[in-house]
Amino acid sequence: MNAAPKFGPAFTLESADAASLDQLRHQAMGCTRCELYKNATQMVFGEGSQKAEIVLVGEQPGDKEDTAGRPFVGPAGRLLDICLKEAGLDRSRCYVTNAVKHFKFEPRGKRRLHSKPNAGEIQRCSWWLGAEVKIVRPKLVIALGATALYSLLGTKVKLTSERGRILTPADHPPVLVTIHPSFLLRIRDLGDGEQQRAHFVADLHRAVQYQGN
Ligand code: URA
């Protein structure tokens, strides 16, 4: 039996067709491609310039993003902003989006607890992410975590073995692999947290070096 190519898509990377991000956002507004739209407050589309050289891709909106209708405005977003700055990247010059555009959660009393999107939901929503990347045509895409990486490559790749690398999938801008900032928020040990955060900043700094080339 033939082994699957390392970065060959396991699902078809089809995407929406639109002339601009505004047009695409309008199309995505009424998305019912999976069930997640039913419980979320709203679809959270990407944000930033169509001319951005860097696209940052997270997993899905969290509780705060679901309410605000904007990506990365909660605790993970605040940490991301700080780390981007430390790495020498200006968020306002990047396009920031998510692999999945609706918040998936489990209700726990008054709280809504983040729930991981499944492979089907990620595949369905790659329809929008693929189109965002095609329209922006960045120099580099930064995959923040495994969900973003799966959506961008169309195949499951071990994040720990590719972390810090810049992958070059066919017919796609290069993809820099790193962790999701919420991973840092979950670390309890202070020393470990500092070390992991420095590693994340170093990963992001690779984008600055890459841009300079
Ligand atoms: N986590 C994400 O992956 N995206 C957001 O927008 C917020 C938190």
Side-chain angles (χ1 to χ4, degrees):
M1 205 164 52
N2 288 336
K6 201 171 178 195
F7 302 125
F11 63 86
T12 321
L13 288 162
E14 287 180 331
S15 55
D17 192 18
S20 67
L21 288 173
D22 279 348
Q23 206 180 82
L24 189 68
R25 182 186 296 104
H26 192 73
Q27 288 178 18
M29 215 60 104
C31 183
T32 57
R33 290 177 60 79
C34 75
E35 304 281 295
L36 295 184
Y37 74 95
K38 291 185 177 168
N39 295 323
T41 307
Q42 56 192 314
M43 187 274 306
V44 179
F45 198 72
E47 184 176 89
S49 165
Q50 194 161 309
K51 293 189 185 133
E53 289 191 352
I54 291 179
V55 167
L56 288 149
V57 184
E59 183 196 69
Q60 61 163 342
D63 183 69
K64 293 279 185 294
E65 290 78 13
D66 172 77
T67 311
R70 296 180 53 210
F72 280 108
V73 292
R78 281 196 294 278
L79 180 56
L80 175 64
D81 288 353
I82 294 168
C83 293
L84 284 171
K85 220 179 236 171
E86 284 176 18
L89 284 165
D90 181 354
R91 172 169 170 166
S92 68
R93 299 184 64 178
C94 299
Y95 181 79
V96 181
T97 191
N98 281 302
V100 171
K101 307 284 194 261
H102 285 104
F103 179 35
K104 182 176 180 182
F105 60 92
E106 292 287 340
R108 282 287 149 74
K110 284 187 183 160
R111 297 180 63 208
R112 303 186 299 170
L113 299 187
H114 166 276
S115 175
K116 258 198 171 321
N118 62 37
E121 288 152 356
I122 298 165
Q123 289 173 23
R124 291 268 156 173
C125 215
S126 70
W127 177 257
W128 303 116
L129 177 62
E132 286 172 292
V133 172
K134 264 193 210 155
I135 292 169
V136 177
R137 291 192 291 120
K139 261 193 174 175
L140 186 69
V141 178
I142 304 179
L144 300 168
T147 299
L149 193 57
Y150 179 53
S151 179
L152 290 162
L153 301 182
T155 190
K156 288 201 171 139
V157 169
K158 213 160 182 254
L159 189 129
T160 44
S161 50
E162 302 302 331
R163 180 171 182 187
R165 296 216 172 112
I166 295 177
L167 311 180
T168 52
D171 306 320
H172 196 279
V175 177
L176 170 61
V177 182
T178 187
I179 53 137
H180 191 284
S182 65
F183 164 70
L184 301 176
L185 294 173
R186 290 194 297 269
I187 300 174
R188 291 279 159 257
D189 181 81
L190 215 65
D192 189 26
E194 276 311 306
Q195 205 177 355
Q196 287 294 339
R197 181 191 153 123
H199 190 172
F200 181 51
V201 171
D203 285 347
L204 295 174
H205 188 68
R206 290 220 59 201
V208 180
Q209 294 166 328
Y210 187 84
Q211 260 185 319
N213 288 335

